[in-house]
Amino acid sequence: MIYLTSFLFCGFICLLGQVILDNTKLTAGHITSIFVVTGAFLDTFSIYDQIINRVGAGALVPITSFGHSLIHGALYKASDMGIMGLLMGMFDLTASGITAAIVFTFIFSLFFRPQN
Amino acid sequence: MEKTRYKELVKKHQPTETRSQNAFIAFVTGGIVGVIGQLLTEFYSGFFEISTKDASTFMLVTLIFLASLFTALGFFDKWVNFCKCGLIIPITGFAHSMTSAGIEYRKEGPIFGLGSNIFKLAGSVILYGVVSAWFFGMLRLLIMGG
């Protein structure tokens, strides 16, 4: 069941992105930025948390969960530290993803050449 | 050239893909990536005996690693051209944009090539993500009190 909800939710987000991409002048960069902001907005009222609980990892894979993780870490830290916590906790949950992407990119760009 | 012949040629070279086809492909491939994420999460939480939350971090790192590796090997670009948003919207698109920028600008040197351009495409995601998260976080702190 959780596989089906994962499939449907993640597929639906991608479908939404593709429809926006095909029918407007926005590029992929615009769309990913819009989706990140949407994810952050949805988690302001803990809506995205409930989606993750019901849908499973299908809600963690799209880029919307990046915005959700940013604000989730910030608000968690802010509950202890007040307004400074927003700045301290911003990258708490996304650190692994960003660090992994930077390290892998660095290693691969040392060893691989452009194909064309 | 005859008109009918010209029309035939135009028809032959027109892109056959339609918007609904694109949307369907994006839906299916995006869904498959979501299912792979769920499979990996359950595999890691069972194999390493860790919580689902930790396992989902492992899963994201695995997807980023695979997307970076396939981009470096050269065939991820073709997949992205075919699936479009099905691979751009998931976290694989983030890793793909960083690795392709890194490999592309590597030849311009380690500082002004690789270092300056690594976030060329992914930077907007981080910028607007952080600014909006900060803004919404401030709103929530000021209005709802945390």
Side-chain angles (χ1 to χ4, degrees):
Chain A
M1 186 60 201
I2 199 150
Y3 292 103
L4 184 68
T5 51
S6 285
F7 182 86
L8 289 178
F9 186 81
C10 195
F12 176 70
I13 300 276
C14 297
L15 174 75
L16 215 61
Q18 186 64 44
V19 169
I20 297 173
L21 184 71
D22 278 347
N23 293 301
T24 62
K25 284 181 181 169
L26 300 178
T27 63
H30 289 99
I31 293 168
T32 44
S33 303
I34 292 169
F35 277 31
V36 168
V37 175
T38 313
F41 176 73
L42 285 178
D43 202 61
T44 312
F45 310 103
S46 301
I47 299 171
Y48 208 83
D49 275 335
Q50 292 173 15
I51 296 177
I52 290 175
N53 282 338
R54 287 186 195 162
V55 171
L60 288 167
V61 174
I63 199 79
T64 41
S65 88
F66 185 77
H68 145 261
S69 305
L70 284 173
I71 192 168
H72 201 84
L75 285 175
Y76 184 75
K77 198 83 177 177
S79 61
D80 299 343
M81 303 288 297
I83 228 146
M84 279 304 284
L86 277 183
L87 308 178
M88 294 160 75
M90 185 66 80
F91 284 107
D92 272 5
L93 297 173
T94 48
S96 56
I98 295 179
T99 312
I102 292 175
V103 170
F104 294 145
T105 297
F106 183 72
I107 293 170
F108 289 141
S109 53
L110 287 187
F111 291 108
F112 290 90
R113 291 282 165 272
Q115 298 293 317
N116 40 9
Chain B
M1 193 185 290
E2 292 172 32
K3 265 187 181 175
T4 47
R5 172 105 178 97
Y6 176 72
K7 272 182 187 168
E8 269 174 27
L9 273 179
V10 167
K11 207 173 184 181
K12 199 174 160 188
H13 290 285
Q14 261 175 352
T16 47
E17 55 191 33
T18 57
R19 286 171 183 177
S20 54
Q21 208 176 349
N22 278 343
F24 179 73
I25 291 170
F27 177 72
V28 172
T29 48
I32 290 170
V33 177
V35 171
I36 292 172
Q38 181 65 36
L39 276 171
L40 282 173
T41 308
E42 289 192 5
F43 169 74
Y44 283 135
S45 66
F47 190 75
F48 295 115
E49 293 175 354
I50 49 180
S51 67
T52 315
K53 205 175 173 184
D54 292 339
S56 64
T57 307
F58 277 52
M59 175 271 287
L60 287 178
V61 171
T62 311
L63 285 182
I64 288 171
F65 174 76
L66 290 178
S68 288
L69 179 68
F70 292 166
T71 307
L73 290 174
F75 52 82
F76 204 73
D77 285 324
K78 286 175 200 157
W79 292 8
V80 169
N81 278 335
F82 178 71
C83 308
K84 297 195 177 71
C85 276
L87 287 175
I88 294 171
I89 300 293
I91 198 80
T92 48
F94 182 76
H96 167 70
S97 65
M98 275 181 69
T99 308
S100 55
I103 289 180
E104 187 70 34
Y105 289 100
R106 166 73 180 84
K107 59 180 182 291
E108 290 176 23
I111 304 297
F112 291 108
L114 182 60
S116 307
N117 291 300
I118 188 169
F119 285 113
K120 193 160 195 155
L121 300 161
S124 66
V125 169
I126 296 181
L127 168 67
Y128 291 108
V130 168
V131 171
S132 63
W134 175 81
F135 181 73
F136 292 136
M138 285 294 270
L139 274 186
R140 180 161 164 162
L141 278 186
L142 294 177
I143 295 171
M144 297 165 72

